[in-house]
Amino acid sequence: IKQLQAIQESYEKSDWSDVMAKADVIGGLSSAGNYEKSFAYSMAGNAAASADDFAKASAYFTKAIEANGLDNDGHYSTMYNLAAIQYQEEHYAEALATLDRFLAETKSDKPDHLSLRAGLLANLDRNDEAAALYQALVAKYPDDKRLLMNAVAALQGAEKYDQANVLLGDAYKRGMLTEPRELRALYVGYMNAQRWDDAQKVIEEGAAKGILQPGP
Protein backbone atom coordinates (compact mmCIF):
# COMPACT_ATOMS: atom_id res chain seq x y z
CA ILE A 1 0.00 0.00 0.00
CA LYS A 2 2.87 2.38 0.82
CA GLN A 3 4.41 1.74 -2.58
CA LEU A 4 1.11 2.42 -4.34
CA GLN A 5 0.73 5.63 -2.36
CA ALA A 6 4.28 6.60 -3.33
CA ILE A 7 3.59 6.06 -7.01
CA GLN A 8 0.42 8.15 -6.69
CA GLU A 9 2.41 10.97 -5.05
CA SER A 10 5.01 10.90 -7.81
CA TYR A 11 2.25 11.05 -10.40
CA GLU A 12 0.65 14.06 -8.69
CA LYS A 13 4.07 15.78 -8.81
CA SER A 14 4.31 15.00 -12.57
CA ASP A 15 7.51 13.07 -11.91
CA TRP A 16 6.93 10.75 -14.84
CA SER A 17 10.27 8.94 -14.77
CA ASP A 18 9.86 8.14 -11.07
CA VAL A 19 6.33 6.81 -11.67
CA MET A 20 7.66 4.45 -14.32
CA ALA A 21 10.61 3.36 -12.16
CA LYS A 22 8.32 2.62 -9.21
CA ALA A 23 5.92 0.70 -11.46
CA ASP A 24 8.77 -1.48 -12.70
CA VAL A 25 9.69 -2.30 -9.09
CA ILE A 26 6.12 -3.19 -8.14
CA GLY A 27 5.68 -5.25 -11.29
CA GLY A 28 8.71 -7.35 -10.35
CA LEU A 29 7.60 -8.10 -6.80
CA SER A 30 6.45 -11.66 -6.16
CA SER A 31 4.32 -10.32 -3.29
CA ALA A 32 2.43 -7.91 -5.58
CA GLY A 33 -1.03 -9.08 -6.59
CA ASN A 34 -2.79 -8.56 -9.87
CA TYR A 35 -4.47 -5.36 -8.73
CA GLU A 36 -1.22 -3.81 -7.54
CA LYS A 37 0.53 -4.63 -10.80
CA SER A 38 -2.33 -3.43 -12.97
CA PHE A 39 -2.65 -0.20 -11.00
CA ALA A 40 1.09 0.50 -11.13
CA TYR A 41 1.36 -0.27 -14.85
CA SER A 42 -1.67 1.84 -15.71
CA MET A 43 -0.19 4.78 -13.80
CA ALA A 44 3.11 4.22 -15.62
CA GLY A 45 1.27 4.16 -18.95
CA ASN A 46 -0.37 7.49 -18.21
CA ALA A 47 2.99 8.88 -17.08
CA ALA A 48 4.73 7.70 -20.25
CA ALA A 49 1.97 9.20 -22.39
CA SER A 50 2.32 12.50 -20.51
CA ALA A 51 6.06 12.35 -21.25
CA ASP A 52 5.28 11.75 -24.95
CA ASP A 53 6.97 8.35 -24.81
CA PHE A 54 4.18 6.50 -26.59
CA ALA A 55 6.12 3.27 -27.11
CA LYS A 56 6.54 2.92 -23.35
CA ALA A 57 2.94 3.96 -22.76
CA SER A 58 1.75 1.20 -25.08
CA ALA A 59 3.94 -1.37 -23.30
CA TYR A 60 2.75 -0.33 -19.84
CA PHE A 61 -0.93 -0.28 -20.79
CA THR A 62 -0.53 -3.75 -22.30
CA LYS A 63 1.00 -5.03 -19.05
CA ALA A 64 -1.80 -3.43 -17.04
CA ILE A 65 -4.41 -5.23 -19.12
CA GLU A 66 -2.56 -8.55 -19.01
CA ALA A 67 -2.30 -8.40 -15.21
CA ASN A 68 -6.12 -8.24 -15.22
CA GLY A 69 -6.42 -6.73 -11.74
CA LEU A 70 -8.42 -3.56 -12.29
CA ASP A 71 -12.13 -3.04 -11.83
CA ASN A 72 -14.24 -2.80 -14.98
CA ASP A 73 -13.99 0.97 -15.39
CA GLY A 74 -10.23 1.00 -14.88
CA HIS A 75 -9.73 -2.03 -17.11
CA TYR A 76 -11.74 -0.60 -19.99
CA SER A 77 -10.32 2.91 -19.77
CA THR A 78 -6.83 1.40 -19.88
CA MET A 79 -7.79 -0.69 -22.89
CA TYR A 80 -9.17 2.36 -24.69
CA ASN A 81 -6.04 4.35 -23.82
CA LEU A 82 -3.97 1.56 -25.36
CA ALA A 83 -6.01 1.66 -28.57
CA ALA A 84 -5.61 5.45 -28.76
CA ILE A 85 -1.84 5.22 -28.23
CA GLN A 86 -1.52 2.49 -30.85
CA TYR A 87 -3.50 4.69 -33.24
CA GLN A 88 -1.21 7.63 -32.54
CA GLU A 89 1.81 5.41 -33.17
CA GLU A 90 0.22 4.38 -36.50
CA HIS A 91 -0.02 0.74 -35.41
CA TYR A 92 -3.45 0.59 -36.96
CA ALA A 93 -3.97 -3.17 -37.07
CA GLU A 94 -3.00 -3.55 -33.40
CA ALA A 95 -5.17 -0.58 -32.45
CA LEU A 96 -8.16 -2.05 -34.28
CA ALA A 97 -7.73 -5.39 -32.52
CA THR A 98 -7.55 -3.64 -29.13
CA LEU A 99 -10.54 -1.44 -29.90
CA ASP A 100 -12.63 -4.35 -31.18
CA ARG A 101 -11.96 -6.18 -27.93
CA PHE A 102 -12.95 -3.03 -26.02
CA LEU A 103 -16.19 -2.67 -28.01
CA ALA A 104 -17.03 -6.35 -27.67
CA GLU A 105 -16.57 -6.29 -23.90
CA THR A 106 -18.20 -2.91 -23.19
CA LYS A 107 -20.94 -3.01 -25.85
CA SER A 108 -20.24 0.70 -26.27
CA ASP A 109 -22.02 2.65 -28.98
CA LYS A 110 -20.54 6.04 -28.10
CA PRO A 111 -19.74 8.12 -31.20
CA ASP A 112 -16.13 8.79 -30.12
CA HIS A 113 -15.45 5.07 -29.81
CA LEU A 114 -17.12 4.16 -33.11
CA SER A 115 -15.55 7.06 -35.01
CA LEU A 116 -12.12 5.89 -33.83
CA ARG A 117 -12.92 2.48 -35.28
CA ALA A 118 -14.00 4.07 -38.56
CA GLY A 119 -10.78 6.08 -38.64
CA LEU A 120 -8.73 2.93 -38.10
CA LEU A 121 -10.58 1.15 -40.91
CA ALA A 122 -9.88 4.08 -43.22
CA ASN A 123 -6.17 4.03 -42.34
CA LEU A 124 -6.13 0.30 -43.13
CA ASP A 125 -7.63 1.09 -46.57
CA ARG A 126 -10.87 -0.62 -45.59
CA ASN A 127 -12.72 2.38 -46.97
CA ASP A 128 -16.04 0.66 -47.69
CA GLU A 129 -16.35 -0.44 -44.06
CA ALA A 130 -15.18 2.95 -42.80
CA ALA A 131 -17.68 4.78 -45.01
CA ALA A 132 -20.56 2.57 -43.88
CA LEU A 133 -19.73 3.14 -40.21
CA TYR A 134 -19.32 6.90 -40.66
CA GLN A 135 -22.61 7.09 -42.59
CA ALA A 136 -24.39 5.30 -39.75
CA LEU A 137 -22.90 7.77 -37.29
CA VAL A 138 -23.88 10.77 -39.43
CA ALA A 139 -27.45 9.44 -39.62
CA LYS A 140 -27.52 9.29 -35.83
CA TYR A 141 -25.66 12.57 -35.22
CA PRO A 142 -26.48 14.73 -38.28
CA ASP A 143 -25.19 17.97 -36.72
CA ASP A 144 -21.68 16.67 -35.97
CA LYS A 145 -19.58 18.27 -38.71
CA ARG A 146 -16.43 16.34 -37.80
CA LEU A 147 -18.23 13.05 -38.36
CA LEU A 148 -19.69 14.39 -41.58
CA MET A 149 -16.35 15.41 -43.08
CA ASN A 150 -14.79 12.10 -42.03
CA ALA A 151 -17.66 10.27 -43.73
CA VAL A 152 -17.11 12.30 -46.90
CA ALA A 153 -13.39 11.49 -46.88
CA ALA A 154 -14.10 7.78 -46.40
CA LEU A 155 -16.68 7.76 -49.20
CA GLN A 156 -14.24 9.49 -51.52
CA GLY A 157 -11.58 6.95 -50.52
CA ALA A 158 -14.05 4.21 -51.46
CA GLU A 159 -14.68 6.02 -54.78
CA LYS A 160 -18.31 6.61 -53.84
CA TYR A 161 -18.26 10.21 -54.99
CA ASP A 162 -22.00 10.54 -55.60
CA GLN A 163 -22.76 9.53 -52.01
CA ALA A 164 -20.12 11.98 -50.74
CA ASN A 165 -21.76 14.75 -52.79
CA VAL A 166 -25.17 13.91 -51.31
CA LEU A 167 -23.84 14.25 -47.76
CA LEU A 168 -22.03 17.50 -48.55
CA GLY A 169 -24.99 18.91 -50.46
CA ASP A 170 -27.35 18.23 -47.58
CA ALA A 171 -24.91 19.79 -45.11
CA TYR A 172 -24.57 22.84 -47.37
CA LYS A 173 -28.33 23.36 -47.46
CA ARG A 174 -28.39 23.22 -43.67
CA GLY A 175 -25.65 25.86 -43.41
CA MET A 176 -23.04 23.51 -41.93
CA LEU A 177 -20.26 24.22 -44.44
CA THR A 178 -18.56 27.39 -43.19
CA GLU A 179 -14.89 26.93 -44.10
CA PRO A 180 -13.13 27.26 -47.48
CA ARG A 181 -11.93 23.64 -47.49
CA GLU A 182 -15.49 22.43 -46.85
CA LEU A 183 -16.95 24.42 -49.72
CA ARG A 184 -14.08 23.33 -51.93
CA ALA A 185 -14.87 19.67 -51.18
CA LEU A 186 -18.41 20.32 -52.38
CA TYR A 187 -17.75 22.32 -55.53
CA VAL A 188 -14.90 20.05 -56.61
CA GLY A 189 -17.23 17.09 -56.05
CA TYR A 190 -19.83 18.75 -58.26
CA MET A 191 -17.22 19.53 -60.92
CA ASN A 192 -16.03 15.92 -60.95
CA ALA A 193 -19.65 14.90 -61.48
CA GLN A 194 -19.91 17.51 -64.27
CA ARG A 195 -22.55 19.40 -62.31
CA TRP A 196 -21.18 22.73 -63.50
CA ASP A 197 -24.15 24.90 -62.53
CA ASP A 198 -24.19 23.52 -58.99
CA ALA A 199 -20.44 24.06 -58.65
CA GLN A 200 -20.72 27.63 -59.90
CA LYS A 201 -23.55 28.36 -57.46
CA VAL A 202 -21.51 27.10 -54.49
CA ILE A 203 -18.48 29.18 -55.55
CA GLU A 204 -20.48 32.36 -56.10
CA GLU A 205 -22.44 32.02 -52.86
CA GLY A 206 -19.24 31.21 -50.95
CA ALA A 207 -17.57 34.33 -52.36
CA ALA A 208 -20.62 36.48 -51.60
CA LYS A 209 -20.56 35.31 -47.97
CA GLY A 210 -16.81 35.98 -47.68
CA ILE A 211 -15.98 32.31 -47.09
CA LEU A 212 -14.18 31.96 -50.43
CA GLN A 213 -11.69 34.65 -51.44
CA PRO A 214 -11.35 35.58 -55.13
CA GLY A 215 -8.17 34.30 -56.78
CA PRO A 216 -6.83 32.99 -60.10
Side-chain angles (χ1 to χ4, degrees):
I1 292 174
K2 287 182 179 180
Q3 287 173 306
L4 295 181
Q5 290 173 336
I7 201 171
Q8 181 75 41
E9 290 170 3
S10 294
Y11 188 86
E12 291 171 356
K13 294 175 183 176
S14 300
D15 190 345
W16 310 132
S17 59
D18 192 56
V19 171
M20 289 184 272
K22 283 181 166 60
D24 289 334
V25 170
I26 293 172
L29 291 174
S30 59
S31 58
N34 290 344
Y35 169 76
E36 288 80 8
K37 291 180 180 179
S38 287
F39 178 84
Y41 284 139
S42 66
M43 293 290 287
N46 288 322
S50 296
D52 294 330
D53 191 337
F54 300 116
K56 279 189 176 180
S58 179
Y60 281 126
F61 285 141
T62 299
K63 288 181 179 179
I65 294 166
E66 289 174 347
N68 198 31
L70 297 172
D71 61 16
N72 280 347
D73 287 344
H75 180 73
Y76 293 136
S77 64
T78 300
M79 194 181 298
Y80 188 74
N81 286 342
L82 175 59
I85 291 291
Q86 290 171 327
Y87 176 82
Q88 194 160 348
E89 287 286 275
E90 299 183 2
H91 298 157
Y92 301 127
E94 293 90 336
L96 182 60
T98 301
L99 185 62
D100 279 347
R101 178 183 171 187
F102 170 86
L103 293 172
E105 293 185 16
T106 63
K107 313 298 183 189
S108 173
D109 61 354
K110 291 182 178 179
D112 286 350
H113 298 162
L114 296 178
S115 63
L116 175 58
R117 187 174 194 275
L120 288 168
L121 290 169
N123 278 292
L124 289 167
D125 294 325
R126 294 166 60 176
N127 289 304
D128 286 329
E129 296 170 76
L133 183 48
Y134 274 132
Q135 283 178 295
L137 287 168
V138 169
K140 195 171 183 179
Y141 305 98
D143 296 325
D144 190 321
K145 187 161 69 173
R146 181 178 60 87
L147 286 176
L148 170 78
M149 297 309 295
N150 284 336
V152 168
L155 285 166
Q156 291 172 339
E159 299 184 358
K160 296 180 177 180
Y161 303 112
D162 289 343
Q163 292 182 39
N165 288 343
V166 168
L167 279 184
L168 283 170
D170 177 67
Y172 181 68
K173 290 174 184 175
R174 293 190 289 128
M176 289 180 65
L177 307 186
T178 57
E179 298 179 21
R181 64 181 182 85
E182 295 164 357
L183 290 187
R184 186 181 186 281
L186 178 57
Y187 72 69
V188 168
Y190 283 157
M191 291 168 69
N192 288 335
Q194 298 187 2
R195 294 172 58 178
W196 312 114
D197 291 342
D198 291 330
Q200 180 177 344
K201 181 181 178 182
V202 171
I203 292 170
E204 290 176 347
E205 289 181 351
K209 293 176 181 177
I211 300 173
L212 298 177
Q213 298 303 315

